[in-house]
Amino acid sequence: MKILLVAECREGRLQANINDLLGFAAKADAESALFLVGTQEELPKFAGTLYLADSSTYGEYNPEIHKQLLLDTIDTVKPDMVIFSHSSYGWDLAPRIAFALKAAQISEVVDFVDGKPIAPVCNAKLRRTVAPKTAVTILTLQAGAFSLAEEPTTTPTVEAISTTATGKIEFSGYQQADIGGVDLSKAQVIVSAGRGIGKPENIAIIEGLAKALKGEYGASRPVVDSEWAEHNRQVGTTGQTVSPKLYVACGISGAIQHLAGMKKSEFIVAINTDKDAPIGEVADVLLIADLKQFVPILTDKILAM
Amino acid sequence: MNILVCIKQVPDMESKFKVNAEGCWYDSSDLAWRMNEYDEYAVEQAVQLKEQTGADLTVLCIGPDRVKETMKKALAMGCDRGIHVTDAESFDKDPFAIASIIAKFAEQKSFDMIFTGMQSQDRGSAQVGVLTAEMLGIPSITTIVSFAFDAGQITVQRELEGGVKAMVKAPLPALVTCQLGLNTPRYPTLPNIMKAKKKELVVTPVADLLGVAVLQETLSLYFPEKKGGGVVLEGDSAELADQLIAILKEKTAVLA
Ligand SMILES: Cc1cc2nc3c(=O)[nH]c(=O)nc-3n(C[C@H](O)[C@H](O)[C@H](O)COP(=O)(O)OP(=O)(O)OC[C@H]3O[C@@H](n4cnc5c(N)ncnc54)[C@H](O)[C@@H]3O)c2cc1C
């Protein structure tokens, strides 16, 4: 089997998710080639051919042009599978390739067993094994689902690629995330509020427990989106990555994008009314309780110690 | 201006799921249904664009009869008419088939702007929007967290990992897929819910729009093996609190 891996470059830096792609290639035991719109200055380590387009010419986000560069490479390599990360770059570009090739695309693949991709359903409460019915298959890989034990040390053979394709989409640069205020990455204890808190006033309950534990409070994305907490308190892929000594998730279901930001915490406690909430997968202790009732009692007991 | 917003009805994610008799999807009985969360942002943005430009706004939904309830919410939020593509088997269709149905409908109507959610909460493929745009030959931008329209052009921000945003422009016609937090979806008011009842809801059988076969099949659906070795505790709150404090004292240094 032959596969083409699609690496990513942002703000001149090769993205670490190339490790997932290489991990997949190792697991699938496939002959692989690599595609990147990036720079000569940040070449990935890879034993094989790297098809490299210059990001200063084609831009780091320019899906119509990247599509053409990638289609041309696919024409040369003739892979059985094209592998992306399930990332803002990958989920944007992959369906464009899938459509051009009339290829089945399976998204957010978490495993690959007997040649069949496995993907999550319903916030990872369920999984499905998928059978693609097309000659070429496109996969996007869930962040962290595949990884390489040992990073390669080989320098790839670089094939420079180019295109005359143009597009209508115009990318004009990046805006950095607003940081400042609290620095969650320094907190020893983080107590986070999820949508399960129900209303903004209940942030006080979460903050109360955080204070009793001499920590900071954090939040899941919906709490931040609803402006019940500031963005710099958001934990997850599009917020902060934290690894405190203790993380307490209150009314948080445990979506993969949240878990990505906190699963390396030393000890994880989850408080949830739903026994099957996926947060249970990473929690050292899952308490089945209504946080509005339980958290104030816990806080009082800790303060009384 | 002519706008289309595409929505999906999904189960409440806190539901207790069961695998269906065929073993290839979840059982649809005893579930509470709602509008896919990402699509609520799409509907809100479409309604805001309608208010800005006086455009005509159509909402499209594919699925069995029950999806009418979700469509009524979109109508009450401000969509002008609904297109219900009736399909009792929509759960079995892959993103390619779903997108081809939408594209087939849209190509006859020449929409200037199409909104979708970035993904559905159940299948989570994040493909339908982009595939639809590719089929229609129009530009598409995914995962937007801000949207502005002026002089025939849209200016959006795409959300990237770490909360960084990419600033992107495109001319109309275009399609965007909407990410959480793009706006604050409005609650339908009672008068608007009443008005929505009188709005046009066109029913189209899926056979009229479907011209392709699926490219993939779900072989089996199942519950993941529990890997987490964590303790699950249940019971009276005060007792639970004592138990937790004892565990924290033993396993962590935070209460020292
Ligand atoms: C590209 C992308 C990036 C994202 N980035 C992030 C990110 O950085 N961070 C992030 O958090 N999310 C992120 N998300 C969103 C993520 O997918 C989830 O939607 C989100 O994490 C859900 O937040 P939640 O768990 O608070 O809410 P929900 O999923 O709604 O869960 C609420 C939970 O509260 C429980 N509950 C309800 N009432 C109570 C009660 N009284 N007591 C106790 N428990 C209760 C429920 O059982 C449920 O488990 C991202 C999504 C995408 C697509």
Side-chain angles (χ1 to χ4, degrees):
Chain A
M1 186 170 55
K2 216 172 192 183
I3 65 179
L4 178 63
L5 310 173
V6 181
E8 306 173 13
C9 182
R10 200 211 295 171
E11 296 177 270
R13 305 307 305 268
L14 179 72
Q15 298 296 286
N17 54 21
I18 186 172
N19 191 261
D20 300 2
L21 305 174
L22 297 174
F24 178 86
K27 174 142 195 180
D29 198 15
E31 183 191 333
S32 48
L34 191 60
F35 169 91
L36 173 70
V37 182
T39 74
Q40 286 282 354
E41 284 73 57
E42 280 267 321
L43 284 185
K45 295 284 183 222
F46 179 68
T49 306
L50 166 67
Y51 294 85
L52 180 70
D54 187 356
S55 57
S56 62
T57 308
Y58 302 111
E60 291 182 348
Y61 175 75
N62 226 330
E64 295 149 304
I65 296 167
H66 289 204
K67 172 175 88 173
Q68 197 51 52
L69 288 162
L70 186 47
L71 287 174
D72 292 346
T73 306
I74 290 168
D75 225 30
T76 314
V77 176
K78 301 201 171 26
D80 302 296
M81 293 202 276
V82 185
I83 315 294
F84 297 80
S85 292
H86 194 67
S87 62
S88 58
Y89 183 83
W91 67 61
D92 190 274
L93 188 54
R96 302 175 200 265
I97 302 299
F99 174 70
L101 302 176
K102 301 290 177 300
Q105 179 189 332
I106 295 99
S107 303
E108 212 185 347
V109 170
V110 294
D111 208 348
F112 191 67
V113 179
D114 301 329
K116 299 268 183 311
I118 296 174
V121 176
C122 292
N123 197 11
K125 280 192 164 183
L126 293 156
R127 277 187 177 186
R128 61 189 187 109
T129 298
V130 188
K133 305 188 352 166
T134 53
V136 182
T137 314
I138 315 276
L139 307 185
T140 65
L141 309 180
Q142 186 178 85
F146 300 87
S147 67
L148 203 60
E150 232 173 292
E151 304 226 346
T153 50
T154 333
T155 309
T157 313
V158 178
E159 254 335 301
I161 50 169
S162 60
T163 182
T164 52
T166 54
K168 290 181 174 156
I169 295 172
E170 188 190 319
F171 163 58
S172 63
Y174 298 103
Q175 184 180 314
Q176 297 307 319
D178 44 351
I179 33 169
V182 291
D183 184 0
L184 287 185
S185 65
K186 294 216 170 67
Q188 303 274 308
V189 176
I190 297 173
V191 183
S192 282
R195 183 154 34 200
I197 65 169
K199 51 180 186 192
E201 295 76 32
N202 289 338
I203 284 282
I205 300 178
I206 306 302
E207 194 177 1
L209 178 59
K211 281 204 176 123
L213 289 165
K214 302 187 186 59
E216 279 293 347
Y217 77 93
S220 71
R221 176 166 187 142
V223 171
V224 172
D225 284 343
S226 313
E227 295 174 10
W228 300 352
E230 309 255 280
H231 182 261
N232 53 32
R233 295 194 183 267
Q234 183 180 314
V235 173
T237 0
T238 46
Q240 302 208 42
T241 302
V242 298
S243 49
K245 291 200 155 52
L246 172 66
Y247 188 89
V248 187
C250 307
I252 294 177
S253 63
I256 174 72
Q257 297 90 355
H258 189 82
L259 299 186
M262 46 63 77
K263 67 179 176 207
K264 297 219 170 85
S265 305
E266 280 176 38
F267 199 82
I268 299 172
V269 174
I271 300 159
N272 204 301
T273 43
D274 179 4
K275 237 190 186 149
D276 301 322
I279 189 82
E281 277 292 299
V282 300
D284 296 286
V285 182
L286 171 62
L287 294 149
I288 311 302
D290 182 334
L291 71 92
K292 293 181 289 254
Q293 235 201 337
F294 174 74
V295 176
I297 294 174
L298 177 65
T299 306
D300 286 347
K301 282 189 185 269
I302 291 171
L303 288 174
M305 279 168 61
Chain B
M1 175 144 60
N2 222 342
I3 314 172
L4 176 68
V5 58
C6 306
I7 64 171
K8 181 178 184 180
Q9 187 187 55
V10 296
D12 191 309
M13 291 301 133
E14 282 154 47
S15 306
K16 191 122 195 90
F17 290 99
K18 287 184 297 237
V19 176
N20 70 7
E22 296 74 31
C24 62
W25 201 241
Y26 54 77
D27 188 305
S28 63
S29 54
D30 301 326
L31 292 174
W33 298 89
R34 44 164 296 170
M35 193 188 303
N36 178 40
E37 197 181 352
Y38 299 84
D39 302 345
E40 291 190 13
Y41 296 94
V43 171
E44 175 61 33
Q45 204 60 52
V47 173
Q48 287 185 16
L49 183 59
K50 171 192 162 62
E51 288 168 345
Q52 181 193 337
T53 61
D56 184 81
L57 172 55
T58 300
V59 56
L60 178 145
C61 186
I62 305 169
D65 229 30
R66 64 171 143 73
V67 308
K68 283 205 176 77
E69 281 315 305
T70 298
M71 297 190 74
K72 279 183 194 150
K73 178 171 181 186
L75 292 171
M77 284 172 78
C79 296
D80 294 310
R81 94 183 48 68
I83 304 294
H84 174 201
V85 180
T86 50
D87 184 3
E89 309 280 294
S90 60
F91 68 92
D92 231 8
K93 297 206 167 50
D94 66 352
F96 180 74
I98 295 291
S100 77
I101 294 167
I102 300 170
K104 184 86 186 156
F105 169 77
E107 74 189 8
Q108 314 151 8
K109 307 278 171 181
S110 55
F111 290 104
D112 302 287
M113 190 64 223
I114 303 178
F115 293 90
T116 72
M118 77 147 288
Q119 62 179 2
S120 61
Q121 289 175 277
D122 54 355
R123 225 178 218 271
S125 291
Q127 296 177 32
V128 169
V130 180
L131 287 174
T132 303
E134 292 294 300
M135 290 170 187
L136 293 170
I138 62 174
S140 60
I141 306 167
T142 59
T143 340
I144 67 157
V145 287
S146 92
F147 177 92
F149 167 75
D150 187 36
Q153 175 170 266
I154 56 170
T155 304
V156 303
Q157 293 189 334
R158 291 191 72 217
E159 187 183 48
L160 314 178
E161 289 69 23
V164 177
K165 289 162 190 145
M167 290 171 299
V168 185
K169 285 191 169 77
L172 296 195
L175 181 149
V176 293
T177 80
C178 301
Q179 163 67 320
L180 307 172
L182 168 62
N183 49 43
T184 307
R186 67 194 69 191
Y187 289 103
T189 59
L190 194 56
N192 285 340
I193 292 171
M194 300 314 287
K195 257 201 269 174
K197 292 195 168 134
K198 297 203 190 72
K199 287 183 180 170
E200 187 185 9
L201 217 168
V202 184
V203 177
T204 305
V206 69
D208 291 1
L209 296 169
L210 181 67
V212 303
V214 296
L215 305 180
Q216 59 180 284
E217 266 173 3
T218 298
L219 289 180
S220 59
L221 183 93
Y222 43 88
F223 292 93
E225 269 172 55
K226 294 256 179 248
K227 294 190 296 258
V231 203
V232 182
L233 299 174
E234 237 172 316
D236 168 73
S237 283
E239 281 169 28
L240 274 183
D242 289 332
Q243 276 175 290
L244 180 60
I245 287 169
I247 294 173
L248 291 180
K249 276 187 176 157
E250 191 194 322
K251 308 268 180 166
T252 76
V254 302
L255 288 178

